[in-house]
mmCIF file of all heavy atoms in Angstrom:
data_model
loop_
_atom_site.group_PDB
_atom_site.id
_atom_site.type_symbol
_atom_site.label_atom_id
_atom_site.label_comp_id
_atom_site.label_asym_id
_atom_site.label_seq_id
_atom_site.Cartn_x
_atom_site.Cartn_y
_atom_site.Cartn_z
ATOM 1 N N VAL A 291 79.836 149.619 95.593
ATOM 2 C CA VAL A 291 79.093 149.806 94.342
ATOM 3 C C VAL A 291 78.098 150.958 94.462
ATOM 4 O O VAL A 291 77.913 151.745 93.522
ATOM 5 C CB VAL A 291 78.356 148.503 93.963
ATOM 6 C CG1 VAL A 291 77.344 148.740 92.851
ATOM 7 C CG2 VAL A 291 79.362 147.434 93.544
ATOM 8 N N VAL A 292 77.485 151.072 95.623
ATOM 9 C CA VAL A 292 76.458 152.100 95.854
ATOM 10 C C VAL A 292 77.040 153.502 95.727
ATOM 11 O O VAL A 292 76.339 154.445 95.343
ATOM 12 C CB VAL A 292 75.817 151.893 97.243
ATOM 13 C CG1 VAL A 292 74.784 152.969 97.536
ATOM 14 C CG2 VAL A 292 75.195 150.513 97.343
ATOM 15 N N ALA A 293 78.331 153.663 96.022
ATOM 16 C CA ALA A 293 78.948 154.991 96.027
ATOM 17 C C ALA A 293 79.386 155.456 94.645
ATOM 18 O O ALA A 293 79.660 156.639 94.436
ATOM 19 C CB ALA A 293 80.153 154.999 96.964
ATOM 20 N N VAL A 294 79.451 154.557 93.681
ATOM 21 C CA VAL A 294 80.000 154.886 92.356
ATOM 22 C C VAL A 294 78.932 155.567 91.497
ATOM 23 O O VAL A 294 77.786 155.103 91.454
ATOM 24 C CB VAL A 294 80.505 153.607 91.658
ATOM 25 C CG1 VAL A 294 81.145 153.961 90.308
ATOM 26 C CG2 VAL A 294 81.503 152.872 92.542
ATOM 27 N N PRO A 295 79.267 156.657 90.799
ATOM 28 C CA PRO A 295 78.299 157.291 89.881
ATOM 29 C C PRO A 295 77.779 156.285 88.861
ATOM 30 O O PRO A 295 78.558 155.534 88.265
ATOM 31 C CB PRO A 295 79.131 158.389 89.203
ATOM 32 C CG PRO A 295 80.212 158.700 90.177
ATOM 33 C CD PRO A 295 80.538 157.395 90.844
ATOM 34 N N HIS A 296 76.468 156.271 88.675
ATOM 35 C CA HIS A 296 75.860 155.259 87.818
ATOM 36 C C HIS A 296 74.854 155.896 86.862
ATOM 37 O O HIS A 296 74.554 157.085 86.944
ATOM 38 C CB HIS A 296 75.163 154.194 88.669
ATOM 39 C CG HIS A 296 74.202 154.754 89.670
ATOM 40 N ND1 HIS A 296 73.006 155.342 89.334
ATOM 41 C CD2 HIS A 296 74.289 154.833 91.030
ATOM 42 C CE1 HIS A 296 72.386 155.742 90.421
ATOM 43 N NE2 HIS A 296 73.142 155.451 91.466
ATOM 44 N N ALA A 297 74.338 155.082 85.948
ATOM 45 C CA ALA A 297 73.356 155.556 84.974
ATOM 46 C C ALA A 297 72.030 155.874 85.657
ATOM 47 O O ALA A 297 71.802 155.493 86.814
ATOM 48 C CB ALA A 297 73.148 154.498 83.892
ATOM 49 N N ASP A 298 71.162 156.569 84.942
ATOM 50 C CA ASP A 298 69.855 156.931 85.493
ATOM 51 C C ASP A 298 68.819 155.826 85.305
ATOM 52 O O ASP A 298 67.862 155.735 86.061
ATOM 53 C CB ASP A 298 69.334 158.207 84.830
ATOM 54 C CG ASP A 298 70.216 159.404 85.130
ATOM 55 O OD1 ASP A 298 70.765 159.455 86.244
ATOM 56 O OD2 ASP A 298 70.372 160.258 84.244
ATOM 57 N N ARG A 299 69.007 154.996 84.274
ATOM 58 C CA ARG A 299 68.021 153.974 83.950
ATOM 59 C C ARG A 299 68.705 152.614 83.865
ATOM 60 O O ARG A 299 69.884 152.509 83.549
ATOM 61 C CB ARG A 299 67.337 154.272 82.608
ATOM 62 C CG ARG A 299 66.619 155.602 82.582
ATOM 63 C CD ARG A 299 66.104 155.908 81.179
ATOM 64 N NE ARG A 299 65.027 154.998 80.797
ATOM 65 C CZ ARG A 299 63.744 155.223 81.038
ATOM 66 N NH1 ARG A 299 63.382 156.332 81.668
ATOM 67 N NH2 ARG A 299 62.824 154.377 80.661
ATOM 68 N N ASP A 300 67.929 151.572 84.127
ATOM 69 C CA ASP A 300 68.430 150.219 84.034
ATOM 70 C C ASP A 300 67.830 149.552 82.803
ATOM 71 O O ASP A 300 66.616 149.529 82.629
ATOM 72 C CB ASP A 300 68.052 149.416 85.293
ATOM 73 C CG ASP A 300 68.556 147.983 85.228
ATOM 74 O OD1 ASP A 300 69.627 147.769 84.639
ATOM 75 O OD2 ASP A 300 67.873 147.094 85.764
ATOM 76 N N PHE A 301 68.692 149.014 81.947
ATOM 77 C CA PHE A 301 68.211 148.331 80.745
ATOM 78 C C PHE A 301 68.109 146.821 80.943
ATOM 79 O O PHE A 301 67.637 146.113 80.066
ATOM 80 C CB PHE A 301 69.137 148.634 79.564
ATOM 81 C CG PHE A 301 69.154 150.086 79.190
ATOM 82 C CD1 PHE A 301 70.247 150.882 79.486
ATOM 83 C CD2 PHE A 301 68.056 150.659 78.558
ATOM 84 C CE1 PHE A 301 70.255 152.220 79.147
ATOM 85 C CE2 PHE A 301 68.060 152.014 78.218
ATOM 86 C CZ PHE A 301 69.163 152.788 78.513
ATOM 87 N N GLY A 302 68.554 146.337 82.095
ATOM 88 C CA GLY A 302 68.436 144.917 82.393
ATOM 89 C C GLY A 302 69.726 144.157 82.146
ATOM 90 O O GLY A 302 70.534 144.505 81.293
ATOM 91 N N ILE A 303 69.927 143.093 82.903
ATOM 92 C CA ILE A 303 71.112 142.257 82.769
ATOM 93 C C ILE A 303 71.121 141.586 81.396
ATOM 94 O O ILE A 303 70.082 141.175 80.877
ATOM 95 C CB ILE A 303 71.155 141.209 83.901
ATOM 96 C CG1 ILE A 303 72.480 140.444 83.864
ATOM 97 C CG2 ILE A 303 69.991 140.249 83.829
ATOM 98 C CD1 ILE A 303 72.705 139.565 85.062
#
Side-chain angles (χ1 to χ4, degrees):
V291 168
V292 178
V294 183
H296 52 70
D298 296 326
R299 301 173 68 89
D300 180 33
F301 296 107
I303 187 170

